[in-house]
Amino acid sequence: MSKSKILVTGGLGYIGSQTVLSLLDSGFEVVILDKNQPKEYQNFAYIVDFERVDLLNIGDLERVFKKYKIEVVIHFAAFIEVGESQLKPEKYYKNNVVGTLNLLTIMHRYKVNKIVFSSTAAVYGFSGVELIDENQPRNPISVYGRTKSISEDIINDFCKIHGFSAFSLRYFNACGADPQTRTGEDHNPETHLIPCILNAIANNVTFKIFGNNYNTPDGTCIRDYIHTTDLASAHILATKYLMDLTTSGFYEVVNLGTGQGFSVSQIVQSVEQVTGCKVLVEFVDRRPGDSDRLVASNQKAKKILNWEPQSNLYQIIKTAWEWYQKIKLK
């Protein structure tokens, strides 16, 4: 019988692609499932098994599980834009929640019962605490956050009722790029902080900071920025943990963050230091729903997964800038 594989849904996405590369670097056999075609630079998709499948098409999904011997699923595939989710809730509930339910249904049918789920700190909403741990109540303030919270509950029920074993990994602000510039952030439109600052530099336009009157030392929001390579390593550790389990019904929620927060103004200053370029800044009104501070407690990840972030803010911005120059300024 052929060697079992790790199925990565959304394996062409920002964090999914970095995880695929890290899995390959670690010697795993991978099947990428994604509804998009690989981009020009994603040549890794041609050296692994790749299936172009939408999770809403349950027939195509079942074909994949018939074709491969799958041991663990790492589930990234989801729409992630908070603003869009508030305008098009039906799009997000259908894709994120129904897609997850379809995946779990076919997994159960084919006796694949181990899954690592890509969740988010957006499930917490406004926490009001210095460091957010996994015991903080879930109170998502966006449709996107609610779709992830609902998906967590569905997965937990499959663990309780169908004997699945699972991790829900709630990560904070994903950023940075592959140190070998094999993959990185390439959203359209781009909404994440660091690539938006890099865009402003490259195009010599003003970068707008939303609000400078938050309850923080410099008045701008504080967030926990975590490199995608550190996120990928956590997914691999969670995968290995599930593969080693001899019992069923295991379910754990784990935060992935550095435990250190940086303000938007601090990020702007760090980008200037790394790139050697001045950022033109304009302060504008706050966005609705932005909290003062969102920083993770990562003690549970350290304890259960033996995980430790390896990258610092300089490395995050350096790799993001190298990636930006390769893709955007070629």
Side-chain angles (χ1 to χ4, degrees), residues 85-104:
S85 78
Q86 298 299 97
L87 300 173
K88 300 177 180 178
E90 65 285 355
K91 175 181 177 180
Y92 277 68
Y93 282 112
K94 181 181 289 186
N95 186 79
N96 294 5
V97 177
V98 176
T100 297
L101 182 57
N102 285 349
L103 175 64
L104 294 167

Side-chain angles (χ1 to χ4, degrees), residues 134-239:
E134 294 82 355
N135 294 320
Q136 285 295 312
R138 283 180 284 164
N139 185 28
I141 57 174
S142 67
V143 170
Y144 164 66
R146 282 191 286 277
T147 66
K148 290 291 189 176
S149 184
I150 291 167
S151 296
E152 284 189 12
D153 287 336
I154 296 171
I155 292 169
N156 192 9
D157 282 339
F158 270 68
C159 292
K160 292 175 181 176
I161 298 167
H162 294 314
F164 274 46
S165 294
F167 279 101
S168 286
L169 302 181
R170 296 174 178 168
Y171 29 89
F172 284 62
N173 285 49
C175 46
D178 178 64
Q180 300 175 50
T181 64
R182 296 172 295 179
T183 191
E185 202 155 5
D186 190 15
H187 299 123
N188 186 22
E190 185 57 73
T191 60
H192 288 179
L193 178 64
I194 292 172
C196 284
I197 299 173
L198 297 177
N199 267 328
I201 288 173
N203 295 292
N204 197 32
V205 297
T206 300
F207 173 70
K208 296 180 179 179
I209 295 179
F210 296 98
N212 62 347
N213 59 350
Y214 287 91
N215 185 26
T216 62
D218 64 22
T220 62
C221 293
I222 291 175
R223 295 292 183 267
D224 188 332
Y225 297 89
I226 180 76
H227 201 295
T228 53
T229 53
D230 287 323
L231 292 174
S233 72
H235 285 80
I236 292 174
L237 290 169
T239 297

Side-chain angles (χ1 to χ4, degrees), residues 12-277:
L12 299 181
Y14 175 38
I15 305 166
S17 60
Q18 182 65 67
T19 302
V20 167
L21 288 168
S22 296
L23 285 165
L24 295 174
D25 291 344
S26 300
F28 286 92
E29 295 200 10
V30 177
V31 181
I32 295 174
L33 187 152
D34 203 295
K35 66 181 179 181
N36 299 306
Q37 288 281 31
K39 293 178 180 176
E40 180 182 351
Y41 55 81
Q42 292 180 318
N43 49 16
F44 60 86
Y46 301 104
I47 62 172
V48 301
D49 294 300
F50 171 71
E51 299 288 340
R52 191 178 186 189
V53 172
D54 190 324
L55 292 181
L56 296 180
N57 189 325
I58 203 160
D60 283 351
L61 189 57
E62 184 164 21
R63 175 179 55 78
V64 172
F65 279 78
K66 282 182 179 177
K67 183 175 179 180
Y68 301 100
K69 181 187 175 186
I70 297 165
E71 185 169 359
V72 180
V73 174
I74 304 179
H75 178 33
F76 292 102
F79 293 139
I80 64 168
E81 297 301 332
V82 171
E84 184 187 49
S85 78
Q86 298 299 97
L87 300 173
K88 300 177 180 178
E90 65 285 355
K91 175 181 177 180
Y92 277 68
Y93 282 112
K94 181 181 289 186
N95 186 79
N96 294 5
V97 177
V98 176
T100 297
L101 182 57
N102 285 349
L103 175 64
L104 294 167
T105 299
I106 296 300
M107 287 175 64
H108 180 52
R109 187 175 300 171
Y110 285 85
K111 297 181 172 56
V112 179
N113 60 5
K114 297 180 178 182
I115 182 169
V116 180
F117 177 56
S118 165
S119 193
T120 172
V123 301
Y124 292 116
F126 296 115
S127 71
V129 298
E130 188 77 6
L131 293 176
I132 300 171
D133 66 22
E134 294 82 355
N135 294 320
Q136 285 295 312
R138 283 180 284 164
N139 185 28
I141 57 174
S142 67
V143 170
Y144 164 66
R146 282 191 286 277
T147 66
K148 290 291 189 176
S149 184
I150 291 167
S151 296
E152 284 189 12
D153 287 336
I154 296 171
I155 292 169
N156 192 9
D157 282 339
F158 270 68
C159 292
K160 292 175 181 176
I161 298 167
H162 294 314
F164 274 46
S165 294
F167 279 101
S168 286
L169 302 181
R170 296 174 178 168
Y171 29 89
F172 284 62
N173 285 49
C175 46
D178 178 64
Q180 300 175 50
T181 64
R182 296 172 295 179
T183 191
E185 202 155 5
D186 190 15
H187 299 123
N188 186 22
E190 185 57 73
T191 60
H192 288 179
L193 178 64
I194 292 172
C196 284
I197 299 173
L198 297 177
N199 267 328
I201 288 173
N203 295 292
N204 197 32
V205 297
T206 300
F207 173 70
K208 296 180 179 179
I209 295 179
F210 296 98
N212 62 347
N213 59 350
Y214 287 91
N215 185 26
T216 62
D218 64 22
T220 62
C221 293
I222 291 175
R223 295 292 183 267
D224 188 332
Y225 297 89
I226 180 76
H227 201 295
T228 53
T229 53
D230 287 323
L231 292 174
S233 72
H235 285 80
I236 292 174
L237 290 169
T239 297
K240 290 178 177 177
Y241 190 105
L242 295 181
M243 292 172 75
D244 290 340
L245 276 180
T246 56
T247 56
S248 62
F250 171 89
Y251 179 73
E252 283 286 357
V253 171
V254 177
N255 285 343
L256 297 180
T258 65
Q260 184 177 9
F262 294 95
S263 73
V264 174
S265 290
Q266 287 176 312
I267 297 296
V268 169
Q269 292 165 13
S270 296
V271 169
E272 289 179 333
Q273 291 169 3
V274 171
T275 63
C277 301

Side-chain angles (χ1 to χ4, degrees), residues 288-308:
D290 276 342
S291 58
D292 297 322
R293 175 185 176 90
L294 289 173
V295 180
S297 166
N298 58 16
Q299 295 307 302
K300 192 173 182 182
K302 291 180 178 181
K303 181 179 179 180
I304 294 179
L305 297 177
N306 195 29
W307 174 79
E308 190 79 43

